[in-house]
């Protein structure tokens, strides 16, 4: 398995603990490490890290790092503008929306870092039940959804329209395809040829109307409701009725693996895991994926996954992964929407702000803070 050494170096889920960090009862007691920071205190409101003066490498410029827990997004923005905190951002720590970024760019003392990320927001179809067990319906939806319009209207152009499962920032992501412009007339022809007819109303086949449920959660997919409503409007133009069903995070975690939906939004895992992790977790039918569910499965794809994971050279990996992407395209298995950007903001006090390779690390390496 090619990425074995890489996976052993991941900061999650693998964690190597010092025996001194565990008590006599086997429970975690305190952090013992060799990093650039030492934990001085921590509670539900945040944590205070101080510089490790015995660190073997280059020591950080600030002598302390304070992490504040502020669950409310607007409170975080206010704290940044007031200078009470120096930086916010990241997919998992203090997410910024594109509209937040647009607002902060107008502030004189705030800097914004927006960069192409390694994740993809995509629309998945439940191919296990009608109507998406019909490839023609999957193809028609893929033909009519306007990805550039979604990027422009809902992501303010910060998210690149996606033509591939993974962006080029992910290894072995294949030849990048541009996001095709919408073609409603072609979508109508595909549905007509497959027997889904109905003129200006809701199309039907064998007495079954083409009514779909799109499941989304704002906690899991920020902006999912708005994106769903755009897709709802676009599909209505070809005689497909869509109900956008908004649920909380816990309900999504229950319903996604049970496939209680016709369409749903998914996010690929991003760096440092992809492409292996997303295929193993979200495509392999033989592996339980817990609350994550599956994007698309079939036995042919399972065999391709095995071949890709066993490949021993970059040339072989490029060939096999490329074949998997082409197979997914021919099956109209999913619809990549946009490549998600990496969004951070910081005050003028911060110097030499640089994003680390992944969203699982804080951007503190090499920075300095004045005042």
């Amino acid at each position: 398995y090619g990425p074995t050494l890489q996976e052993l170096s991941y900061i999650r889920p693998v964690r190597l603990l010092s025996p001194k960090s565990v008590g006599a009862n086997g429970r975690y007691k305190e952090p013992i490490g060799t990093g650039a920071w030492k934990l001085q205190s921590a509670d539900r409101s945040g944590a205070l890290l101080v510089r490790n003066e015995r660190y073997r490498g280059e020591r950080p410029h600030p002598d302390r790092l304070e992490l504040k827990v502020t669950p409310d997004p607007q409170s975080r923005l206010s704290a940044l503008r007031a200078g009470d905190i120096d930086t916010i951002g990241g997919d998992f720590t203090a997410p910024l929306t594109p509209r937040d970024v647009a607002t902060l760019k107008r502030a004189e003392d705030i800097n914004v870092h927006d960069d192409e990320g390694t994740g993809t927001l995509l629309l998945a179809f439940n191919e296990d039940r009608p109507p998406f067990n019909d490839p023609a319906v999957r193809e028609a939806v893929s033909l009519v959804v306007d990805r550039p319009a979604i990027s422009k209207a809902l992501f303010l152009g910060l998210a690149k329209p996606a033509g591939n499962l993974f962006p080029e920032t992910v290894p072995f992501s294949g030849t990048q395809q541009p996001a095709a412009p919408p073609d409603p007339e072609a979508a109508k022809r595909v549905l007509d040829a497959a027997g889904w007819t109905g003129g200006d109303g809701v199309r039907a086949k064998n007495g079954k109307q083409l009514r779909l449920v799109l499941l989304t959660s704002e906690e899991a997919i920020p902006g999912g409701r708005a994106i769903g409503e755009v897709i709802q409007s676009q599909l209505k133009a070809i005689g497909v009725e869509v109900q956008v069903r908004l649920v909380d995070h816990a309900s999504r975690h229950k319903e996604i693996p049970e496939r209680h939906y016709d369409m749903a939004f998914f996010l690929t895992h991003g760096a440092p895991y992809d492409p292996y992790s997303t295929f193993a977790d979200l495509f392999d039918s033989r592996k339980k994926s817990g609350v994550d569910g599956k994007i698309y499965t079939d036995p042919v794809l399972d065999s391709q996954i095995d071949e890709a994971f066993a490949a021993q050279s970059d040339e072989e990996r490029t060939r096999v992964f490329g074949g998997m992407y082409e197979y997914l395209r021919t099956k109209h298995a999913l619809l990549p929407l946009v490549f998600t950007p990496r969004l951070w903001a910081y005050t003028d006090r911060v110097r030499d702000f640089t994003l680390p390779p992944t969203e699982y690390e804080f951007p503190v390496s090499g920075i300095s803070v004045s005042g």
Side-chain angles (χ1 to χ4, degrees):
Y1 176 58
T4 298
L5 294 178
Q6 179 184 352
E7 291 199 1
L8 289 175
S9 69
Y10 286 173
I11 58 173
R12 64 184 297 260
V14 177
R15 292 176 175 86
L16 304 178
L17 295 179
S18 164
K20 294 181 180 180
S21 67
V22 181
N25 59 1
R27 294 177 180 269
Y28 177 75
K29 183 177 61 173
E30 61 181 336
I32 303 292
T34 59
W37 301 94
K38 296 168 64 175
L39 179 65
Q40 181 164 305
S41 62
D43 56 31
R44 294 177 65 87
S45 65
L48 176 61
L49 307 178
V50 295
R51 182 169 55 204
N52 181 3
E53 300 297 345
R54 299 176 62 189
Y55 181 55
R56 67 192 183 284
E58 182 180 353
R59 299 181 188 113
H61 296 303
D63 59 5
R64 62 199 298 261
L65 177 65
E66 187 175 355
L67 309 178
K68 291 187 176 181
V69 177
T70 309
D72 179 63
Q74 292 307 310
S75 296
R76 293 197 295 266
L77 290 173
S78 297
L80 182 73
R81 287 193 290 258
D84 296 332
I85 58 177
D86 291 301
T87 182
I88 58 175
D91 286 346
F92 313 112
T93 50
L96 292 166
T97 69
R99 297 197 182 281
D100 292 337
V101 169
T103 299
L104 292 173
K105 281 184 175 180
R106 294 192 292 267
E108 293 184 358
D109 54 349
I110 302 295
N111 304 283
V112 173
H113 191 116
D114 57 90
D115 197 6
E116 184 174 359
T118 58
T120 308
L121 172 64
L122 59 90
L123 182 66
F125 313 119
N126 185 352
E127 80 285 354
D128 286 343
R129 70 183 191 187
F132 283 119
N133 59 347
D134 184 347
V137 180
R138 304 197 297 263
E139 181 181 4
V141 172
S142 298
L143 282 167
V144 79
V145 171
D146 190 338
R147 289 169 280 182
I150 289 173
S151 171
K152 183 177 181 180
L154 301 174
F155 292 90
L156 307 182
L158 295 175
K160 181 181 178 182
N164 283 44
L165 175 57
F166 300 113
E168 61 185 355
T169 51
V170 170
F172 312 112
S173 57
T175 302
Q176 290 294 309
Q177 306 282 338
D183 193 340
E185 295 307 314
K188 292 176 184 178
R189 290 193 295 269
V190 168
L191 291 175
D192 287 339
W196 293 95
T197 59
D200 295 331
V202 179
R203 291 175 179 267
K205 180 179 181 180
N206 300 328
K208 177 68 174 179
Q209 288 190 307
L210 204 44
R211 301 179 187 273
L212 310 174
V213 175
L214 194 163
L215 181 71
T216 187
S217 163
E218 286 296 302
E219 293 96 331
I221 310 291
R225 179 177 181 175
I227 301 170
E229 289 172 348
V230 170
I231 293 174
Q232 179 186 57
S233 174
Q234 293 169 350
L235 292 185
K236 184 179 180 180
I238 62 169
V240 180
E241 184 176 294
V242 176
Q243 174 195 352
V244 179
R245 184 163 175 263
L246 189 66
V247 298
D248 60 29
H249 199 38
S251 297
R252 183 185 185 276
H253 275 337
K254 178 181 179 181
E255 297 192 29
I256 285 288
E258 295 177 355
R259 311 211 86 183
H260 290 171
Y261 61 87
D262 297 313
M263 299 184 293
F265 297 121
F266 281 77
L267 287 165
T268 58
H269 291 172
Y273 308 102
D274 284 335
Y276 293 90
S277 182
T278 288
F279 274 114
D281 196 33
L282 303 179
F283 287 94
D284 192 331
S285 67
R286 302 157 298 180
K287 177 183 180 295
K288 292 183 178 180
S289 56
V291 298
D292 291 330
K294 299 293 182 183
I295 294 173
Y296 179 85
T297 61
D298 75 22
V300 174
L301 190 60
D302 289 343
S303 297
Q304 292 176 322
I305 290 172
D306 288 344
E307 186 180 359
F309 283 25
Q312 293 298 299
S313 69
D314 286 353
E315 292 77 14
E316 189 178 2
R317 294 183 186 104
T318 298
R319 176 185 62 81
V320 180
F321 277 114
M324 293 166 69
Y325 303 136
E326 184 59 30
Y327 181 76
L328 291 171
R329 286 193 188 97
T330 61
K331 291 291 185 179
H332 306 288
L334 54 94
L335 177 61
L337 295 174
V338 295
F339 298 135
T340 55
R342 303 182 69 190
L343 305 176
W344 286 79
Y346 55 98
T347 66
D348 279 344
R349 287 178 5 105
V350 178
R351 296 285 184 271
D352 300 320
F353 182 94
T354 304
L355 282 185
T358 80
E359 288 292 280
Y360 299 94
E361 304 161 79
F362 286 117
V364 295
S365 179
I367 70 168
S368 60
V369 181
S370 62

